[in-house]
Amino acid sequence: MIATDLFIAARNLARHTRRNLLLASAIGGVTAMLVLLGGLTTGMREAMLHSATTLMTGHVNLAGFFKITSGTAAPIVAGWEKPWDAVKDRIPELDYMAPRGRGWAKAVADGGSMDLVLAGVELSREPGFHKVIQVVDGSLEELGKPGTILLFQDQAKRLGVKPGDTLTLSAPTTRGASNTADVRVAAVARNIGLLSAFNAFIPADTLRQLYQLKAGTTGAVQIYLKDPADSAKVAARLRAALRDAGWRVMDPDPQPYWQKLMFKVNAEDWTGQKLDVTTWEDEMSFLSWIVTAVTWLGNVLVTVLMVIVAVGIVNTLAIAIRERTREIGTLRAIGMQRTQVLRLTLLEAFLLGLGGAVAGALLGAAVGAGLNGAGIELPETMQYFLLQRNLHLAIHPGQVAVYVAFVTALTTVAASWPSAYAARMRPVTAMHHVG
Amino acid sequence: MPEPIVEAVDVAKVYQLGKTQVHALRHVDLVVERGEFLSIAGPSGSGKTTLLNLIGGVDVPSSGTVRVDGEDTSKLTERALTRLRLDHIGFIFQTFNLVAVLTVFQNVEFPLLLQGRMSSDDRRRRVNALLEAVGLADHARHRPSELSGGQRQRVAVARALVANPPLVLADEPTANLDSVTGGHIIDLMREMNRRDGTTFIFSTHDPKVMSHASAIVRLEDGRVVGRETAQGAEAR
């Protein structure tokens, strides 16, 4: 019976080719738009994950704050190897880890000055760094030498420096005094969106010297996992393990470390070391509004389109059912139950929705692949906010399947009113209908 | 003595057209025995189609009772009434009412699919046997639009009989056919009536068609005004 229902539904759709093609095109257009918008937001999210987990954060961070007095906090972990030793065997998901110094300094050069968020890196421990940073001038290997700095294009331009030039970093130490260090520009790297606007890299030892910190002190142990999706699970496990080992661990709080430093930790009444285990999403939460805004904008657009398409579906099916009143009446007369009529008309809508959605998804995926292949460079302002240099749409088959299922389901639901009308029809009324 | 296949007692049907009440049937009493080949005759507007609709369970009486194969149609749920139509009644319509998108075979097979009792092989055998009987074995893959009016009505006859119902109702089955083709259809129905003992009730106002009936019930202005045998009608 299902086979016959399918056959009748498919043939009925084929009987009104132009009208149904138009409707299927609208459904396909909405699906294609969903695929492209989904690809854009996923692409942004992936770009954020990819670049942010190199520039600013690990997938999970074993970080913390040290307070000499209750009002002066520093984003450091003193003797980081001890807490790391306490938990390192509990991370089977581990890919690699890298200690990363954290700091802030004013950079002054002959051509200008600017504030920089400094990261103290040990290049030999950071295989991901080489994959993300694209040096356009100078040498990344030079950053392995003490007293050097890596800047991004816009920073170098603003400071008026090039590789080999010297600039002075001035930073407040943990004891409240200011300290300076002269550093040589080792390399200038290609901009990576908003994140490269304020981040710069210096060797970890140089950062410690600037802040007058002991060896063994770092900002965070950045933990990289084989699958970033495990971040929250691993973070929770580490918090529990550290607490069990006797460390003071801060409660989860989805804010980047610098927001906690500026607005939270200094106001708390404690001294000494507290550890803070965060995920990359916590550290990037100050940028998540961009993804959220694009997602919402896309959702509003798609919702409006879906409403229009749904009205079209209701209207088209209502016309189709009116045209087939006599046929439905005959089927009812010869013994088709109301539920079977309902199933038949819903099946038509389902097939129409599925066909349109699959075609639209294929179109969207093809357009997305074309845009990716074209390597379109985004305008500079968009690079900042989309966190990518070239337009990249991440279109995954699983996500596309979800869109197809959603649009098909919506089409079927939209058809429920005209279908219910058809099912309620009395056979005698339907059989004597003229029209 | 076997129970009549149809028993209508004091049946009335009133339609409301705006503020006007139209009395389509008044005080109709009718008994149809199993195996009859009964014609309901009368001029247009006499209530033939309304009576067939009530017997067929596609409509319910305003008052009175209609029993089909022992079931009081007005006491059945919508679902049970639909099941009664599927299992006990075959329909032949004046305008054939075939499903345009299905082939001849699929149209005839449809009631069996709705019943869901037969295997695919049994269905194929049953449909092919009926198509053979109505002379359309070579047209099984055709669509209704590819057939003549007479051929379409043969498909309708096969569809009405495929589920082996004890009762077949035909509303002016020859009205849209020329006299020769109409005669063939009536002959076909009569053959099925004699061969399988299926009861046929058909409406017509054509005396030639009436002459094939074993009995004729005459309607005028919604009332039964007489019942006679075909021989009696011919004599008149």
Side-chain angles (χ1 to χ4, degrees), chain A residues 131-193:
Chain A
K131 293 176 189 166
V132 173
I133 298 290
Q134 292 178 35
V135 173
V136 293
D137 199 3
S139 162
L140 190 58
E141 305 314 315
E142 284 292 299
L143 189 62
K145 296 176 183 173
T148 54
I149 188 168
L150 179 141
L151 298 171
F152 288 96
Q153 285 171 306
D154 284 353
Q155 297 164 347
K157 189 176 172 187
R158 185 164 168 187
L159 292 168
V161 294
K162 59 184 185 304
D165 291 346
T166 301
L167 55 86
T168 302
L169 299 175
S170 172
T173 67
T174 51
R175 295 179 188 283
S178 280
N179 193 26
T180 61
D182 288 339
V183 291
R184 179 171 52 83
V185 178
V188 175
R190 195 184 293 282
N191 291 332
I192 310 176

Side-chain angles (χ1 to χ4, degrees), chain A residues 1 4 7-8 11-12 15 326 330-340 426-428 431-432, chain B residues 49 53 58-59 78-79 82-83 85-86 91 93 95 97 99-102 106 110 113-114 143 159:
Chain A
M1 192 65 208
T4 305
F7 183 79
I8 294 177
R11 291 289 309 191
N12 279 332
R15 206 157 51 151
R326 182 184 285 270
T330 304
L331 296 176
R332 292 277 292 119
I334 65 175
M336 190 178 238
Q337 295 286 359
R338 283 179 168 167
T339 49
Q340 291 171 307
R426 292 175 62 217
V428 67
M431 280 161 51
H432 295 290
Chain B
T49 299
N53 286 343
V58 294
D59 205 354
E78 173 62 36
R79 191 170 188 80
T82 305
R83 195 75 211 181
R85 292 197 297 268
L86 177 63
F91 288 89
F93 303 96
T95 48
N97 292 27
V99 181
V101 296
L102 298 182
Q106 289 163 337
F110 205 84
L113 287 167
L114 290 174
R143 295 199 190 286
R159 182 179 65 183

Side-chain angles (χ1 to χ4, degrees), chain B residues 67-197:
Chain B
R67 298 178 74 84
V68 177
D69 217 3
E71 298 279 3
D72 184 344
T73 59
S74 58
K75 288 184 178 165
L76 295 176
T77 62
E78 173 62 36
R79 191 170 188 80
L81 198 57
T82 305
R83 195 75 211 181
L84 177 80
R85 292 197 297 268
L86 177 63
D87 292 338
H88 297 258
I89 305 169
F91 288 89
I92 300 169
F93 303 96
Q94 181 180 335
T95 48
F96 324 128
N97 292 27
L98 302 176
V99 181
V101 296
L102 298 182
T103 64
V104 165
F105 183 95
Q106 289 163 337
N107 264 288
V108 177
E109 186 190 28
F110 205 84
L112 298 180
L113 287 167
L114 290 174
Q115 284 184 327
R117 288 196 284 258
M118 275 192 191
S119 69
S120 170
D121 284 347
D122 287 346
R123 283 202 310 270
R124 192 168 58 248
R125 271 193 289 275
R126 174 73 180 150
V127 173
N128 284 333
L130 268 164
L131 287 179
E132 187 78 40
V134 300
L136 286 174
D138 295 337
H139 294 72
R141 291 177 182 278
H142 286 59
R143 295 199 190 286
S145 59
E146 297 164 339
L147 303 177
S148 67
Q151 287 172 324
R152 288 184 210 186
Q153 200 59 304
R154 284 167 184 268
V155 177
V157 171
R159 182 179 65 183
L161 291 166
V162 73
N164 215 11
L167 174 65
V168 172
L169 304 175
D171 188 10
E172 307 242 16
T174 60
N176 280 352
L177 303 173
D178 62 73
S179 58
V180 175
T181 311
H184 288 156
I185 292 295
I186 291 296
D187 288 344
L188 178 66
M189 287 164 51
R190 186 64 165 146
E191 185 190 333
M192 299 296 175
N193 164 254
R194 285 185 177 135
R195 194 183 73 181
D196 302 329

